[in-house]
Amino acid sequence: TYRGAIGADGAISDNARYELSYVYGQTTASNTQTSNLIADRYFAALDAVRDPVSGQIVCRSTLDGTADIDPNNFGQQASTFTPGAGSICRPLNFFGNGVASQAALDFVLADNTNRSKVEQHVASGSISGDFGALFSLPGGPVGFAIGAEYRKEKSQDTPDQLIQDGSFRDFAAVAPSTGQFNVKEVFAELNVPILADAPFAELLSASAAIRISDYSTVGTTTTWKFDGIYAPIDDIRFRGSYSQAVRAPNIGELF
């Protein structure tokens, strides 16, 4: 994972400040799973018979290269090895502990490595402060924040070739995926301190927030909330909120 951030902040006036920032991040991952069963090889190795010529136990597909590999799937032929004389198929004995030959295990098992990469850019800016220079409520000055943000996300996922081909018994075929999106957002928040340090109102305040997002993939969404806090005395506080939130689909879901 690599991440870099740069930013600046400062005072605009006695009652307002600004913040600017840019962040870049990148993560690459390589995930290896070991000893997964290759479907056609597993079924071929289980279908063991005695060679009438040599008397040795061999894979049926070695004697008959046209035989179905999976008896439960009519017409399924080998895709990861070549049946017939000289085949690399080795019969798999699983009746007992440790009885399977290493050659058979090497034939039916394989590791798989999946690789992925995620990249993100985030640029944001905001101004926050209060209206204390203009007016105040009994609870204090009304606070505010406004800002904008731009994000761009890109990712790619490359499954192991055996998974792409659907060769493993326990994994469905998964194709490589890649995609990206960007989103432009504006937001605003307001905090209204109605009362403070008053009889039966140690604190009474209300706040509201809204965020409008424009996604390159799904269009415009709006998230908002209203909430309030009431503390009759210092030791008791009631909080209530009402909100609507939206989750846009991620790259893996879309692509």
Side-chain angles (χ1 to χ4, degrees):
T1 297
Y2 303 92
R3 182 178 183 271
I6 186 171
D9 65 88
I12 299 174
S13 68
D14 291 339
N15 299 92
R17 296 184 60 83
Y18 74 90
E19 287 190 4
L20 299 170
S21 68
Y22 168 73
V23 180
Y24 171 78
Q26 175 184 299
T27 295
T28 56
S30 176
N31 174 33
T32 298
Q33 297 174 310
T34 60
S35 301
N36 290 305
L37 287 167
I38 304 174
D40 65 334
R41 296 189 177 200
Y42 175 63
F43 293 126
L46 287 182
D47 189 10
V49 297
R50 190 176 298 276
D51 185 342
V53 177
S54 67
Q56 299 297 313
I57 302 298
V58 297
C59 300
R60 185 189 303 274
S61 63
T62 301
L63 300 179
D64 181 5
T66 62
D68 291 347
I69 294 299
D70 180 0
N72 297 315
N73 190 351
F74 179 76
Q76 179 177 334
Q77 298 298 306
S79 59
T80 67
F81 74 102
T82 303
S87 168
I88 62 173
C89 182
R90 295 294 180 267
L92 176 65
N93 181 6
F94 63 95
F95 290 105
N97 184 31
V99 297
S101 69
Q102 189 60 50
L105 294 175
D106 291 342
F107 174 69
V108 301
L109 298 175
D111 300 343
N112 68 87
T113 300
N114 306 307
R115 294 179 170 83
S116 60
K117 180 180 179 181
V118 180
E119 194 173 13
Q120 185 184 62
H121 302 262
V122 182
S124 61
S126 66
I127 297 175
S128 61
D130 61 62
F131 296 104
L134 302 176
F135 67 93
S136 289
L137 299 176
V142 175
F144 72 91
I146 57 173
E149 184 171 280
Y150 173 82
R151 296 193 310 277
K152 182 177 182 180
E153 297 193 22
K154 180 180 181 180
S155 75
Q156 61 186 44
D157 183 72
T158 307
D160 189 275
Q161 190 61 51
L162 287 170
I163 292 182
Q164 294 184 42
D165 296 339
S167 299
F168 284 119
R169 187 196 69 170
D170 301 317
F171 296 97
V174 178
S177 62
T178 183
Q180 64 181 10
F181 71 87
N182 64 73
V183 54
K184 299 179 283 289
E185 298 182 325
V186 292
F187 60 87
E189 300 179 28
L190 201 64
N191 181 49
V192 183
I194 303 169
L195 294 172
D197 301 320
F200 303 107
E202 183 69 25
L203 174 65
L204 178 61
S205 68
S207 64
I210 187 170
R211 179 179 290 257
I212 300 173
S213 309
D214 181 20
Y215 288 86
S216 61
T217 49
V218 298
T220 302
T221 65
T222 303
T223 298
W224 50 265
K225 75 160 187 172
F226 298 97
D227 65 24
I229 300 174
Y230 173 54
I233 59 175
D234 213 15
D235 300 314
I236 299 175
R237 178 170 294 199
F238 300 95
R239 181 192 300 269
S241 65
Y242 188 77
S243 63
Q244 172 179 282
V246 178
R247 186 185 77 82
N250 60 39
I251 291 174
E253 292 166 334
L254 286 171
F255 301 98

